[in-house]
Amino acid sequence: MPTNAPTTTGGSRRDTPRREDRRTRRTRTALQTALVDLALERGYAPLTVEEIAERADVGRATFYTHYSDKDELFDAVVRTLLGELAERTQPALDTAEGFNGRPVRALFEHAEERSEVYRLILRGDGDGRALHALTEALSRSVRAEFSGRAETNGVTPRLDIDLLARTWVGEVTAVLAWYFASPEPPMPLPEAARMLASLSRHGRWWGLGFDGPPPDLES
């Protein structure tokens, strides 16, 4: 046996990075959860690193091992959420058919499961930095998806693709913000998702109850 081999039972040097990775993930998850919980309780602005570390049951020095300040921690919360959302929505995007409602349903299902994080982001805490990051990331993703669908189906968009993407993102985030800010849920999120899919397919003219084509736009 080499002289530098570990003497603890049931372990080896090659186990150490894995244990450290698990410990790192647990610590970062605890810090992110602590930030979200405290911000929902007291607001983001007055929070201190010491309070977040105490809620996460870690030392202040441990906090600074992972994050430089609470803003970087909040950025990590958003990145974690976006990573989860990408995994959730990808199966809904594996089709050439557009506006079938699956992506928005997947988004709303994720929002219900991670309601605390969505509520914090959508109400604009942290000077809106997290909300801006969320909307920008969604807009880039949706733009790429719209462009891909148009190319796959051999069609040319009639409207600017960035405007189309941001309109979609604006609609879904506005509905989610309304939902989470309401004292009582204004409607089930699956029903909201169905309505948004119908809006995407038929437009506001149809949604308001009018029949036939809408009047021509004034030049």
Side-chain angles (χ1 to χ4, degrees):
M1 177 182 293
T3 56
N4 61 355
T7 57
T8 54
T9 303
S12 67
R13 276 190 176 276
R14 70 182 60 184
D15 293 330
T16 302
R18 183 173 297 175
R19 288 199 298 269
E20 289 177 350
D21 288 345
R22 286 198 295 266
R23 187 180 303 117
T24 296
R25 287 195 296 270
R26 285 197 299 269
T27 300
R28 290 179 176 173
T29 297
L31 287 168
Q32 291 181 27
T33 301
L35 171 69
V36 172
D37 290 347
L38 284 168
L40 287 174
E41 291 171 13
R42 300 180 48 231
Y44 178 80
L47 292 185
T48 65
V49 166
E50 289 77 8
E51 291 171 322
I52 297 168
E54 182 179 358
R55 176 64 68 92
D57 196 24
V58 302
R60 187 169 178 267
T62 300
F63 179 100
Y64 286 116
T65 299
H66 299 280
Y67 305 105
S68 61
D69 53 29
K70 69 177 184 181
D71 287 342
E72 185 179 354
L73 174 58
F74 202 1
D75 292 343
V77 169
V78 178
R79 286 196 303 272
T80 298
L81 189 79
L82 289 172
E84 295 172 354
L85 181 59
E87 291 183 1
R88 175 63 64 85
T89 56
Q90 188 54 52
L93 298 174
D94 290 337
T95 173
E97 180 189 5
F99 304 110
N100 54 28
R102 294 172 191 163
V104 71
R105 282 200 303 271
L107 170 59
F108 282 10
E109 288 170 1
H110 186 243
E112 282 197 302
E113 293 175 9
R114 300 280 276 146
S115 58
E116 293 85 1
V117 182
Y118 276 92
R119 183 177 291 110
L120 179 62
I121 293 173
L122 289 167
R123 75 184 191 184
D125 278 39
D127 295 327
R129 61 185 289 121
L131 179 57
H132 177 75
L134 175 66
T135 55
E136 288 302 305
L138 285 175
S139 295
R140 288 192 299 270
S141 177
V142 172
R143 185 196 190 284
E145 182 62 26
F146 283 2
S147 296
R149 289 190 188 279
E151 183 177 355
T152 298
N153 289 279
V155 299
T156 301
R158 293 188 176 93
L159 301 177
D160 182 85
I161 200 74
D162 289 303
L163 183 144
L164 290 172
R166 289 184 178 276
T167 298
W168 190 94
V169 172
E171 288 171 352
V172 297
T173 54
V175 169
L176 285 174
W178 169 55
Y179 178 86
F180 287 124
S182 301
E184 296 292 335
M187 66 178 65
L189 278 181
E191 178 65 9
R194 185 192 66 78
M195 290 185 183
L196 285 174
S198 295
L199 176 63
S200 293
R201 281 185 174 273
H202 304 293
R204 289 175 177 79
W205 177 262
W206 172 88
L208 284 170
F210 292 103
D211 295 320
D216 291 336
L217 292 174
E218 295 182 3
S219 58

Short mmCIF file of all heavy atoms in Angstrom, two decimals, residues 202 204-215:
data_model
loop_
_atom_site.label_atom_id
_atom_site.label_comp_id
_atom_site.label_asym_id
_atom_site.label_seq_id
_atom_site.Cartn_x
_atom_site.Cartn_y
_atom_site.Cartn_z
N HIS A 202 -54.52 32.09 -33.38
CA HIS A 202 -55.64 32.80 -34.01
C HIS A 202 -55.57 34.32 -33.88
O HIS A 202 -56.20 35.02 -34.67
CB HIS A 202 -56.96 32.31 -33.41
CG HIS A 202 -57.16 30.84 -33.50
ND1 HIS A 202 -57.35 30.18 -34.70
CD2 HIS A 202 -57.20 29.87 -32.54
CE1 HIS A 202 -57.50 28.88 -34.48
NE2 HIS A 202 -57.40 28.66 -33.18
N ARG A 204 -55.52 38.19 -31.53
CA ARG A 204 -56.40 38.90 -30.61
C ARG A 204 -57.77 39.20 -31.21
O ARG A 204 -58.76 39.27 -30.49
CB ARG A 204 -55.72 40.19 -30.15
CG ARG A 204 -54.55 39.93 -29.21
CD ARG A 204 -53.79 41.20 -28.87
NE ARG A 204 -52.75 40.90 -27.92
CZ ARG A 204 -51.57 40.35 -28.24
NH1 ARG A 204 -51.32 40.04 -29.51
NH2 ARG A 204 -50.67 40.10 -27.32
N TRP A 205 -57.82 39.42 -32.50
CA TRP A 205 -59.10 39.67 -33.17
C TRP A 205 -60.05 38.51 -32.91
O TRP A 205 -61.21 38.71 -32.52
CB TRP A 205 -58.84 39.86 -34.66
CG TRP A 205 -60.05 40.04 -35.54
CD1 TRP A 205 -60.68 39.10 -36.29
CD2 TRP A 205 -60.76 41.25 -35.75
NE1 TRP A 205 -61.74 39.62 -36.97
CE2 TRP A 205 -61.82 40.97 -36.66
CE3 TRP A 205 -60.62 42.57 -35.29
CZ2 TRP A 205 -62.71 41.93 -37.10
CZ3 TRP A 205 -61.52 43.53 -35.73
CH2 TRP A 205 -62.54 43.20 -36.62
N TRP A 206 -59.55 37.30 -33.11
CA TRP A 206 -60.35 36.10 -32.84
C TRP A 206 -60.65 35.97 -31.35
O TRP A 206 -61.77 35.65 -30.95
CB TRP A 206 -59.59 34.88 -33.34
CG TRP A 206 -60.20 33.57 -32.95
CD1 TRP A 206 -61.15 32.86 -33.62
CD2 TRP A 206 -59.88 32.80 -31.79
NE1 TRP A 206 -61.46 31.70 -32.95
CE2 TRP A 206 -60.69 31.64 -31.82
CE3 TRP A 206 -58.99 32.97 -30.73
CZ2 TRP A 206 -60.64 30.66 -30.82
CZ3 TRP A 206 -58.94 32.01 -29.72
CH2 TRP A 206 -59.76 30.87 -29.79
N GLY A 207 -59.63 36.25 -30.51
CA GLY A 207 -59.80 36.10 -29.07
C GLY A 207 -60.87 37.01 -28.50
O GLY A 207 -61.53 36.66 -27.51
N LEU A 208 -61.06 38.18 -29.11
CA LEU A 208 -62.07 39.12 -28.64
C LEU A 208 -63.47 38.76 -29.11
O LEU A 208 -64.45 39.38 -28.71
CB LEU A 208 -61.73 40.54 -29.10
CG LEU A 208 -60.61 41.22 -28.33
CD1 LEU A 208 -60.19 42.52 -29.02
CD2 LEU A 208 -61.04 41.50 -26.90
N GLY A 209 -63.58 37.74 -29.96
CA GLY A 209 -64.89 37.27 -30.38
C GLY A 209 -65.32 37.66 -31.77
O GLY A 209 -66.44 37.33 -32.19
N PHE A 210 -64.48 38.38 -32.50
CA PHE A 210 -64.83 38.78 -33.87
C PHE A 210 -64.70 37.60 -34.82
O PHE A 210 -63.85 36.73 -34.65
CB PHE A 210 -63.92 39.92 -34.34
CG PHE A 210 -64.15 41.21 -33.61
CD1 PHE A 210 -63.27 41.62 -32.62
CD2 PHE A 210 -65.24 42.02 -33.91
CE1 PHE A 210 -63.47 42.81 -31.95
CE2 PHE A 210 -65.44 43.22 -33.23
CZ PHE A 210 -64.55 43.61 -32.24
N ASP A 211 -65.53 37.59 -35.82
CA ASP A 211 -65.48 36.57 -36.86
C ASP A 211 -64.90 37.18 -38.14
O ASP A 211 -64.99 38.39 -38.38
CB ASP A 211 -66.88 36.02 -37.16
CG ASP A 211 -67.44 35.26 -35.96
OD1 ASP A 211 -66.67 34.54 -35.31
OD2 ASP A 211 -68.64 35.42 -35.68
N GLY A 212 -64.36 36.32 -38.98
CA GLY A 212 -63.81 36.77 -40.26
C GLY A 212 -62.47 37.45 -40.06
O GLY A 212 -61.97 37.61 -38.95
N PRO A 213 -61.88 37.85 -41.17
CA PRO A 213 -60.56 38.49 -41.11
C PRO A 213 -60.65 39.87 -40.49
O PRO A 213 -61.66 40.58 -40.64
CB PRO A 213 -60.13 38.55 -42.58
CG PRO A 213 -61.40 38.59 -43.34
CD PRO A 213 -62.37 37.74 -42.56
N PRO A 214 -59.63 40.31 -39.78
CA PRO A 214 -59.64 41.66 -39.21
C PRO A 214 -59.50 42.69 -40.30
O PRO A 214 -59.06 42.39 -41.41
CB PRO A 214 -58.43 41.66 -38.28
CG PRO A 214 -57.52 40.63 -38.85
CD PRO A 214 -58.42 39.57 -39.43
N PRO A 215 -59.88 43.94 -40.03
CA PRO A 215 -59.74 45.00 -41.04
C PRO A 215 -58.27 45.27 -41.35
O PRO A 215 -57.40 44.99 -40.53
CB PRO A 215 -60.42 46.20 -40.39
CG PRO A 215 -60.32 45.93 -38.92
CD PRO A 215 -60.45 44.44 -38.77
#
